[in-house]
Amino acid sequence: MKNIIVAQSGGPTVAINASLVGVLREAVDGGKYDRVFGALHGISGVLKEDFKELTIKDENGGFSYDKELADLIYRSPSSYLGSCRYKMPEAEDDESSYKKIFEIFDKYEIAAFFYIGGNDSMDTVAKLSSYAEKIGSDVRIAGVPKTVDNDLIITDHTPGFGSAAKFIATSMVEITHDTAVYEAPCVTIVEIMGRDAGWLTASSVLARNEYSSLPQLIYLPEVAFSEKSFIEDIKKLLEKTTNIVVAVSEGIHDSQGVYLAATSKAEDRFGHAQLSGAGKVLEGIVKGELGIKCRAVELNLPQRCAAHLASGSDLKEAAELGAKAVDFTAEGSTGFMPVIKRLSDKPYAYEIDKTDVRNVANQEKKIPLEWINEAGNDVTGEMIDYLKPLIEGETGVTYKNGIPVYADISHLTRPQGM
Amino acid sequence: MKNIIVAQSGGPTVAINASLVGVLREAVDGGKYDRVFGALHGISGVLKEDFKELTIKDENGGFSYDKELADLIYRSPSSYLGSCRYKMPEAEDDESSYKKIFEIFDKYEIAAFFYIGGNDSMDTVAKLSSYAEKIGSDVRIAGVPKTVDNDLIITDHTPGFGSAAKFIATSMVEITHDTAVYEAPCVTIVEIMGRDAGWLTASSVLARNEYSSLPQLIYLPEVAFSEKSFIEDIKKLLEKTTNIVVAVSEGIHDSQGVYLAATSKAEDRFGHAQLSGAGKVLEGIVKGELGIKCRAVELNLPQRCAAHLASGSDLKEAAELGAKAVDFTAEGSTGFMPVIKRLSDKPYAYEIDKTDVRNVANQEKKIPLEWINEAGNDVTGEMIDYLKPLIEGETGVTYKNGIPVYADISHLTRPQGM
């Protein structure tokens, strides 16, 4: 038997399940492996032997899977197998969990392990593959990239990001319509995820079109934020329009690196510390300095789970990366992560390659400074060319009783002991 | 010539433009009127003669309109004609604006005026129709209902509400998937619009399905909120699950009527008052009292502008109400608002009637107490039966470059003097 385990880790995205299905389809339909076990809640599910088998034994003694369910999982938000934030110790410090994992690999006749996640998960992949090498195990260990933040290096972009960008751009268009209706001047601050890398905030630029240049201002964590320049930027816009919309990263900070959000700590009436977001802080500044209407809007969790607005190209690539990871392990590779290499913007073309996972783990990709304008309040055309292909295509949502249908995930929250 | 003016007022919704198109189509295609003028920014656009004509003179001397544009406006969020918060004075106190409006009605050969809006707008309709009666004008004055809050009386429900409810239910399903992935207990508080009426918050109940009873708790402004009971409710749930999701109205208040949000005023580092929302206040309570992970999510503006998730039945009814308002005026009625009379829940059936607008103006419809459970933390089956038909159907979104296409509204924010 040549079986595999697949698991998911880190914050969920809209595309992380497409990668899972990509692994499953290629393992079975591609005839690469026999049984596919999903480990629940990441690597900790492996340690606890908490598996959900994704394959079914068919009448010929081979293994197949429920294709209808796989299609449903493909377009469902969040991690179908659950997640964890477990960080593996160094094997030199504590070998016990490594020993246990490889015993379980033996027990289940595992030929390859696939870990779908961000840079913390790639650290786990690096450690497990080093340990496999050390003990002479031939279990192949592969990472499959995902993160809404798009902050993994080497790969052109990361599954999950395109769908989040599509949600942000769409919401931004809708918000700019909503804020256009009154005659009195109004500033709307839209706070977007991404504490250290501004990719998601930058994607709000895609809301601009033939009749609208909104959001007029985009502030990213890659450049120091100045309150003085911000107020000047708003004043200048007020000379020609009443409808000002600003996109701002939750992680903007001043030239000393002090986060705008972190410095506005206040206590509520219960004495609990309240951490206002960057948007709320800017709302206070606009109201205080300019005395005009201002509203902060935080896009929040829907950015990473609004599967009804998934990017078709994002899910397709996520599945391809999962499938390619299977192929690479079947060819003998280990300790790698498949990556997207962009060949051209227009027409959009890419190929899938791989990189040693140690090149990726614990690193962070920020926006190149030349893709940000000189004033530090907007992005350039190169950024737009980069972003455009990533939000293309829709996935076709199935509605039941007026609500999108997603895969049953009650296996993740079953009561203890069941 | 028998022309009409149509205008929009109050907060925008996803369905307010469908009513506008309903008026336009019935006026022209129904052969009821000649030219259709849209007044920009509500009644203040009438006073300023700031019109955007929606009809086009055709070669036969009759009037038609751009059907493709009308279809696009139909499914576009926000108010295509803009809005205002202008409140008409009493005619006894100040007749000047009334005189001016009726002079403009004469000048443009206006036979009927349609005001699409909420209860404030119905106050304007009531005042204008009383004045018309007083001066013996035969200009017909009609209201067309809209409000996301669903708080207009007499009508079974209000256009705009169904689409907002569909967005809330969908986002809630997606959020409950997202929050299910970790093993550690976590409470997620979703704050929903509706300060005095809980209809929107109640619609989160539609997120429940065969595999999920989330959100487990729903707190509405119609019943007094008790922090003690809230903590007890959470503790009880923690005995059987780790994934707790709570829907809460922005307007929850204690038995003294003190808003939870209003009492948590704090100052940020700039000395500006920061008003934490009800969700953020509850987040502080959960963290402080139970010491577990808690996250507040405010759904915010997308609730009333996420047109890509519009309810098909909502937009259809919105257009029908606009069309019926045209028919009623053509038959001689004035000073009325068309209303939806529900005939049955299953199968859903309704008819459109009308009511004297003075019955509606300045009143507010709250959730009947018998539709809320005894513990005051959930809604009953009657509420679910009421809500279900309102989110049915989708509208078919056209995407361009990965983003929904909506109508150009740059006429609303053109620079002064252009």
Side-chain angles (χ1 to χ4, degrees), chain A residues 187-189 227 230-231 260 264 276-297, chain B residues 266-275:
Chain A
V187 178
T188 306
I189 315 273
E227 282 166 43
F230 167 69
I231 289 293
L260 210 66
S264 67
S276 285
K280 272 280 172 202
V281 175
L282 292 185
E283 178 188 307
I285 293 174
V286 170
K287 285 176 174 170
E289 300 286 323
L290 300 175
I292 57 172
K293 202 179 145 196
C294 184
R295 178 175 196 154
V297 176
Chain B
E267 282 191 357
D268 67 14
R269 66 170 164 140
F270 308 97
H272 306 129
Q274 292 280 76
L275 192 63

Side-chain angles (χ1 to χ4, degrees), chain A residues 98-293:
Chain A
Y98 290 86
K99 277 192 166 161
K100 184 138 189 221
I101 287 169
F102 281 84
E103 278 165 24
I104 291 162
F105 284 169
D106 279 348
K107 179 173 167 188
Y108 288 85
E109 301 178 59
I110 299 304
F113 172 65
F114 300 87
Y115 211 27
I116 312 169
N119 36 27
D120 286 346
S121 314
M122 294 312 134
D123 176 72
T124 299
V125 172
K127 284 170 172 164
L128 286 176
S129 55
S130 298
Y131 187 80
E133 191 182 3
K134 193 182 127 192
I135 64 169
S137 162
D138 57 3
V139 178
R140 313 282 90 184
I141 312 286
V144 182
K146 75 87 213 165
T147 151
V148 282
D149 293 326
N150 198 38
D151 59 353
L152 286 179
I153 62 164
I154 301 177
T155 190
D156 177 75
H157 56 279
T158 319
F161 170 67
S163 294
K166 187 185 184 91
F167 176 82
I168 289 163
T170 298
S171 299
M172 192 57 98
V173 168
E174 292 170 340
I175 288 170
T176 60
H177 275 248
D178 189 278
T179 56
V181 302
Y182 294 112
E183 291 183 286
C186 177
V187 178
T188 306
I189 315 273
V190 182
E191 182 183 322
I192 296 167
M193 278 182 172
R195 197 158 172 86
D196 299 312
W199 299 102
L200 288 171
T201 306
S203 66
S204 65
V205 72
L206 299 175
R208 295 183 190 155
N209 56 35
E210 303 76 25
Y211 61 86
S212 168
S213 57
L214 275 59
Q216 297 103 329
L217 297 169
I218 299 175
Y219 297 104
L220 306 166
E222 279 81 358
V223 288
F225 180 81
S226 148
E227 282 166 43
K228 196 163 155 277
S229 308
F230 167 69
I231 289 293
E232 288 308 314
D233 290 344
I234 299 285
K235 277 186 183 164
K236 212 181 287 173
L237 284 168
L238 281 170
E239 288 167 15
K240 39 181 190 172
T241 186
T242 51
N243 185 24
I244 298 172
V245 177
V246 179
V248 62
S249 158
E250 60 179 339
I252 53 168
H253 51 76
D254 66 19
S255 56
Q256 310 299 306
V258 180
Y259 288 110
L260 210 66
T263 48
S264 67
K265 223 169 190 172
E267 281 190 357
D268 66 14
R269 65 171 165 141
F270 307 99
H272 306 129
Q274 294 278 80
L275 192 63
S276 285
K280 272 280 172 202
V281 175
L282 292 185
E283 178 188 307
I285 293 174
V286 170
K287 285 176 174 170
E289 300 286 323
L290 300 175
I292 57 172
K293 202 179 145 196

Side-chain angles (χ1 to χ4, degrees), chain A residues 41 48 78 83 85 166 174 177-178 181-183 206 266-267 269 274 276 304 308 402-403 406-407, chain B residues 41 48 78 83 85 166 174 177-178 181-183 206 210 263 266-267 274 276 304 308 402-403 406-407:
Chain A
H41 299 293
K48 289 191 270 184
S78 186
S83 185
R85 296 268 185 205
K166 187 185 184 91
E174 292 170 340
H177 275 248
D178 189 278
V181 302
Y182 294 112
E183 291 183 286
L206 299 175
E267 281 190 357
R269 65 171 165 141
Q274 294 278 80
S276 285
R304 71 176 197 203
H308 71 273
I403 294 177
Y406 298 127
Chain B
H41 300 292
K48 288 191 271 184
S78 186
S83 185
R85 297 267 186 206
K166 188 185 185 90
E174 292 170 340
H177 275 248
D178 188 278
V181 302
Y182 293 112
E183 291 183 287
L206 299 176
E210 303 77 25
T263 49
E267 282 191 357
Q274 292 280 76
S276 285
R304 72 175 196 203
H308 71 274
I403 295 177
Y406 298 127

